[in-house]
């Protein structure tokens, strides 16, 4: 488990280290169907402590996508759950919401 946590954190940090929050938010607002733009904002929201916002953004995307796109978003969510900590109450709530969105 510890290795998975570290790997998730390294991936997340590498995605966010050079990102510009304002530019990322503008891109996500301009292109609501751009999955990469939405996932970057979710990553940045995690860094800023806006965990619920990040999870809500990605769960909404899960609801509106199918196939490979949906799987990509689900995988990112699971990774972010690991980054935040699987015992965190926000993660537990988001896991239930994700399960509902998937089925």
């Amino acid at each position: 488990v510890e290795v998975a946590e570290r790997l998730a954190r390294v991936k997340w940090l590498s995605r966010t280290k050079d990102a510009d929050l304002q530019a990322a938010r503008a891109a996500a607002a301009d292109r609501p169907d751009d999955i990469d733009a939405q996932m970057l904002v979710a990553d940045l929201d995690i860094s800023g402590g806006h965990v619920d916002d990040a999870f809500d953004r990605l769960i909404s995307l899960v609801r509106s996508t199918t196939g490979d796109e949906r799987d990509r978003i689900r995988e990112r969510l699971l990774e972010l759950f690991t980054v935040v900590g699987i015992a965190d109450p926000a993660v537990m709530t988001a896991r239930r919401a994700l399960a509902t969105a998937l089925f």
Side-chain angles (χ1 to χ4, degrees):
V1 174
E2 187 175 319
V3 172
E5 290 172 0
R6 288 183 184 186
L7 179 59
R9 193 168 289 277
V10 166
K11 287 179 178 180
W12 168 67
L13 288 171
S14 72
R15 289 191 304 264
T16 58
K17 69 179 166 104
D18 295 324
D20 177 304
L21 178 61
Q22 299 308 323
R25 284 199 182 284
D30 290 344
R31 299 185 307 275
D33 294 334
D34 183 335
I35 291 170
D36 291 324
Q38 301 304 322
M39 289 197 302
L40 178 58
V41 171
D43 285 340
L44 292 168
D45 278 346
I46 295 290
S47 353
H50 304 284
V51 173
D52 291 330
D53 292 340
F55 293 161
D56 290 346
R57 176 181 297 273
L58 294 183
I59 290 166
S60 292
L61 274 179
V62 164
R63 286 189 186 106
S64 65
T65 56
T66 59
D68 291 342
E69 288 181 334
R70 181 182 245 197
D71 286 340
R72 242 177 90 213
I73 300 160
R74 181 189 56 78
E75 288 172 13
R76 177 66 59 87
L77 258 169
L78 295 177
E79 188 176 293
L80 292 178
F81 291 167
T82 302
V83 168
V84 171
I86 56 172
D88 188 286
V91 170
M92 291 184 226
T93 300
R95 275 191 184 280
R96 286 189 294 276
L98 174 60
T100 301
L102 288 169
F103 302 104

